[in-house]
Every structure is written in C-alpha cells, then in structure tokens.
Amino acid sequence: MAELPSDQVVFNKPKVELHVHLDGAIRVQTILDVAKRRGISLPANTVEGMTQIIILQQPATLTQFLGKFAEYMHVVAGDRAAIKRIAYEFVEDKAKEGVIYVEVRYSPHFLANTKVYPIPWDQAEGDLSPDEVVHLVNVGLSEGERDFKIKARSILCCMRHMPNWSMDVVELCKKYQQGGVVAIDLAGDESLNSEANPEHRKAYEEAVRFGIHRTVHAGEVGPSSVVKEAVEVLKAERVGHGYRTLEDQVLYKNLLAQNMHFEVCPISSKLTSACDPDFTKHPVIRFRKDKANYSLNTDDPLIFNSTLHLDYSIAHKYMGFTEDEFKRLNIGSAKSCFLPEKEKKELVHRLYEAYGMVRSTAF
Ligand SMILES: O=c1[nH]cnc2c1ncn2[C@H]1C[C@H](O)[C@@H](CO)O1
C-alpha cells in the first residue's frame, strides 16, 4: 500500500498480539521452499513474484480476501515438516517485532488431509489428521519459544461455512488445553453466514462447560447482530474485530461497561473493506476516546504484506495514537489474554516494568 508509512518503529517496546492467523502469517520463502521440495508448481518461483500473487494490493471484499489463501495453502497443508516450520518461524518473526506474548490462531482442518471432510485445497487423501496438525503446531511453537524467548499460545478456529468441523475443534481444544491451546474461535465469512449454525453453538456450549476460552470474529464485515450473538449466545469473552458494534449504541455501551476486549486489526480492516479506507475515520479512534479495551493486531500479515510495526505506525500517523495509549492498550491486551491467571499476572507485570510503570511500594 503505497500511501502507508515506511516500516518505522513507533513503539519499540514489548507488545502483546492477540489476533493473528498462522496460515495468514507464513513466509513467502517457506512457501517456495516447501513447494520445491514437494514438487508442487507455483505461478512464480521468486519471493517477489509469489508475493505479488498472494498479497492484496487494493481494498477488496472479505470474500475476495479469503480466496487468497487458495494461492498457497495446498503447498503447506498435509506436510508435517512444513507445518512445524511455519509455527517455528512465526515465533521468530513475532520476537523480532518485539512481541513478548502472542496468541496465534488457525483451523487444524485446513492443514490436514485425512479425518477432515471435505479434504481441503483439492488434496489427495493422506495421513495427516487435524489432531496431528495441532500436535505439530504445538511442537513448532514450543521450539520457537525456547529459541526466541517469547511466549506463544494458540487458538483453534471453527470456520463459519464448515459447521461439521466445529465439534472436532472443541474436542481438540479440550485435548490440548495443557499443550498450548488456550481458546476456540469462529472465523470465516460472516458476510455469507451471519447467524451461527447450531453446530457452532453446540461447540461453544461445550467450550463453556470445559473452561475453554472463547473469541469470535464478529462485526468485522457482518452487522452488529453478529457481535450481539457472539457475546450473548456464544459467550465470547473477546470479539475479533467488532468494528460494526458501533452501529448499535446500546450494545456498544453494554460492552464498554463489561470491559469487553476488541481485537482490532487496522491494516486488515482497510484491505477487507471492513472499514472506511480513510484511517482517520477508523472505529478504533472511537474505542480509544471511550477508553475501550482493545488490542492492535496484524491478522494476516502475509496477505496484507504488513508487519505489526506498520499497524502501529498507522495508528500513530493517521489516528493520533501516543506512546501512552500504546502502553495502555497493551496492558489491556495482557489483561485480556487467555493465559491462566498466574501467568497473566506475570505478563502484565512484565509490561508494567518495561513501560516504567512499576509503582514503588515504599512509603
Ligand atoms: O479477517 C478475517 N476474518 C475472517 N476469517 C479470517 C480472517 N483472516 C483469516 N481468516 C480465516 C482464513 C483462515 O484460513 C482461517 C483460519 O486461520 O481464518
């Protein structure tokens, strides 16, 4: 996006990122390497060439944006080494951006080639199940945590158009609750499926029963009723995007009063046409004025050709964000993360320390 500021670092301090898709955050070089190893032909064989094919250059619809995944998902899906590698490299990339805690989300079904119906991305049936995908991502993330000294947890996505996968997703959340999976999400095209299917509702009921944390993509491009349903029916503790909450002021005020967390993704919201392309009119400006609880996130940096620094630069340049607000929103993000209470407190404390906000207890 030509009019964006260059990748300057406007907030060079520890950060928390809560909304980023693993399959939207793969290195282009890795896609090329894996395609070469597996003998998969791609429309371009250089990083520059493939980047041009994958990225969204201009604002499109959410549906068009979601179509971009088909350019490369068949390369990594069903391949054990590739899945471990993308998880590992993801942690490295986040550490380089100054993220000290990240929750990364993905659909295990989209990376599998057996025990998933239909088998995605026109793959032939193989022997990699959604269950093993979660195991491999956990291994990649843990190795990344060890090598790059940050903390990474994962969120498993149900997909709006695939309700038959949702009970599986919640079962995987239960199975891997101690293995790095902290929550369930509902992603996909809310413009085509704005009311949650009963299977999604059942999965979220099960999540509540088993103490699995819950977030839902809602009010990104769909109406405020999707947000209302996410919070009231699916019992979401955080809202993915949530921009269109502002269309229902009663709902918005209720959510403010509850300190509901909004996972805001500035660059994403422009390129999916979720928001006005003029960043000076972005809903997060209202969130900030109202001292709402929200995070700043990349969402799918591969497809948006972006970094977390770029999202922060935009918030600074076009939306008037200050260092103090960056600190406040990161502390709110840490408090809204899905870690167990003790680890969450430690994370919040680390931010207070890094931001020079530790109060002396001396009298
Ligand atoms: O911004 C988004 N909105 C809705 N769904 C999304 C967004 N970004 C990625 N996804 C989908 C496509 C991915 O394959 C899936 C799981 O990460 O989630």
Side-chain angles (χ1 to χ4, degrees), residues 142-355:
S142 318
E143 291 180 4
E145 287 185 289
R146 179 200 63 205
D147 291 352
F148 306 112
K149 313 270 180 288
I150 70 169
K151 198 176 267 207
R153 295 291 179 270
S154 58
I155 296 175
L156 304 186
C157 298
C158 304
M159 298 305 301
R160 286 212 179 249
H161 66 301
M162 287 295 170
N164 61 318
W165 294 350
S166 288
M167 282 313 288
D168 250 23
V169 174
V170 72
E171 288 305 321
L172 291 171
C173 291
K174 283 157 65 175
K175 177 167 178 184
Y176 290 102
Q177 213 172 2
Q178 304 306 323
V181 175
V182 290
I184 192 166
D185 178 35
L186 176 55
D189 203 334
E190 60 171 324
S191 64
L192 303 179
N193 303 270
S194 63
E195 197 172 314
N197 181 284
E199 285 299 301
H200 299 318
R201 294 209 292 269
K202 244 174 73 187
Y204 271 71
E205 279 165 21
E206 185 75 352
V208 171
R209 256 196 301 281
F210 281 82
I212 310 286
H213 287 295
R214 300 159 304 281
T215 179
V216 172
H217 281 73
E220 179 184 17
V221 297
S224 56
S225 59
V226 184
V227 179
K228 198 170 161 71
E229 182 195 53
V231 175
E232 293 177 4
V233 180
L234 302 176
K235 310 289 178 205
E237 300 157 275
R238 299 197 318 233
V239 176
H241 305 276
Y243 318 118
R244 292 186 61 186
T245 311
L246 292 176
E247 291 169 9
D248 178 344
Q249 282 298 302
V250 176
L251 175 68
Y252 177 55
K253 293 219 165 86
N254 279 337
L255 296 187
L256 274 183
Q258 288 172 38
N259 200 33
M260 177 58 67
H261 184 89
F262 296 97
E263 302 161 355
V264 173
C265 310
I267 294 173
S268 160
S269 68
K270 171 172 173 153
L271 288 174
T272 60
S273 303
C275 298
D276 192 307
D278 180 351
F279 284 124
T280 66
K281 298 188 177 135
H282 200 278
V284 75
I285 297 170
R286 174 78 191 275
F287 292 172
R288 186 187 70 217
K289 282 195 183 121
D290 294 338
K291 295 238 175 291
N293 176 11
Y294 63 90
S295 45
L296 292 182
N297 308 279
T298 52
D299 204 10
D300 299 280
L302 164 62
I303 299 175
F304 303 131
N305 200 21
S306 66
T307 64
L308 192 57
H309 290 314
L310 202 50
D311 277 292
Y312 274 69
S313 291
I314 282 163
H316 172 68
K317 183 166 178 197
Y318 299 103
M319 306 177 190
F321 275 60
T322 60
E323 169 126 339
D324 279 352
E325 183 61 14
F326 288 139
K327 289 178 180 174
R328 190 192 76 84
L329 76 89
N330 272 279
I331 288 165
S333 307
K335 288 180 177 167
S336 307
C337 82
F338 290 145
L339 284 171
E341 277 311 308
K342 186 167 168 284
E343 285 179 74
K344 188 194 286 199
K345 280 209 176 98
E346 283 163 9
L347 176 65
V348 172
H349 185 72
R350 275 194 66 191
L351 291 186
Y352 278 131
E353 273 186 341
Y355 298 165

Side-chain angles (χ1 to χ4, degrees), residues 11-241:
F11 186 60
N12 196 13
K13 295 210 156 50
K15 291 177 280 297
V16 169
E17 187 171 8
L18 301 179
H19 189 125
V20 50
H21 294 256
L22 181 62
D23 51 337
I26 304 172
R27 295 181 189 168
V28 176
Q29 184 63 58
T30 301
I31 295 169
L32 292 173
D33 291 351
V34 176
K36 192 167 171 199
R37 170 169 59 74
R38 298 182 78 189
I40 297 172
S41 74
L42 289 173
N45 55 13
T46 60
V47 168
E48 296 70 31
M50 250 339 256
T51 302
Q52 289 313 308
I53 289 162
I54 293 171
I55 65 173
L56 266 185
Q57 315 259 11
Q58 295 296 329
T61 63
L62 184 68
T63 314
Q64 288 165 335
F65 150 72
L66 290 170
K68 287 285 187 179
F69 286 82
E71 301 285 358
Y72 62 87
M73 281 297 280
H74 61 290
V75 175
V76 291
D79 189 274
R80 290 178 172 81
I83 291 168
K84 234 176 87 173
R85 176 171 169 185
I86 63 178
Y88 178 83
E89 291 177 344
F90 171 83
V91 182
E92 181 174 23
D93 292 345
K94 287 296 139 188
K96 283 193 182 137
E97 291 179 334
V99 171
I100 59 166
Y101 175 67
V102 61
E103 287 173 6
V104 61
R105 61 189 71 195
Y106 64 99
S107 157
H109 295 77
F110 270 160
L111 290 166
N113 61 14
T114 193
K115 299 200 178 152
V116 48
Y117 181 80
I119 297 175
W121 319 115
D122 288 329
Q123 296 174 94
E125 171 133 30
D127 60 0
L128 185 57
S129 64
D131 188 323
E132 200 188 340
V133 167
V134 178
H135 168 72
L136 291 164
V137 172
N138 290 345
V139 171
L141 294 179
S142 318
E143 291 180 4
E145 287 185 289
R146 179 200 63 205
D147 291 352
F148 306 112
K149 313 270 180 288
I150 70 169
K151 198 176 267 207
R153 295 291 179 270
S154 58
I155 296 175
L156 304 186
C157 298
C158 304
M159 298 305 301
R160 286 212 179 249
H161 66 301
M162 287 295 170
N164 61 318
W165 294 350
S166 288
M167 282 313 288
D168 250 23
V169 174
V170 72
E171 288 305 321
L172 291 171
C173 291
K174 283 157 65 175
K175 177 167 178 184
Y176 290 102
Q177 213 172 2
Q178 304 306 323
V181 175
V182 290
I184 192 166
D185 178 35
L186 176 55
D189 203 334
E190 60 171 324
S191 64
L192 303 179
N193 303 270
S194 63
E195 197 172 314
N197 181 284
E199 285 299 301
H200 299 318
R201 294 209 292 269
K202 244 174 73 187
Y204 271 71
E205 279 165 21
E206 185 75 352
V208 171
R209 256 196 301 281
F210 281 82
I212 310 286
H213 287 295
R214 300 159 304 281
T215 179
V216 172
H217 281 73
E220 179 184 17
V221 297
S224 56
S225 59
V226 184
V227 179
K228 198 170 161 71
E229 182 195 53
V231 175
E232 293 177 4
V233 180
L234 302 176
K235 310 289 178 205
E237 300 157 275
R238 299 197 318 233
V239 176
H241 305 276

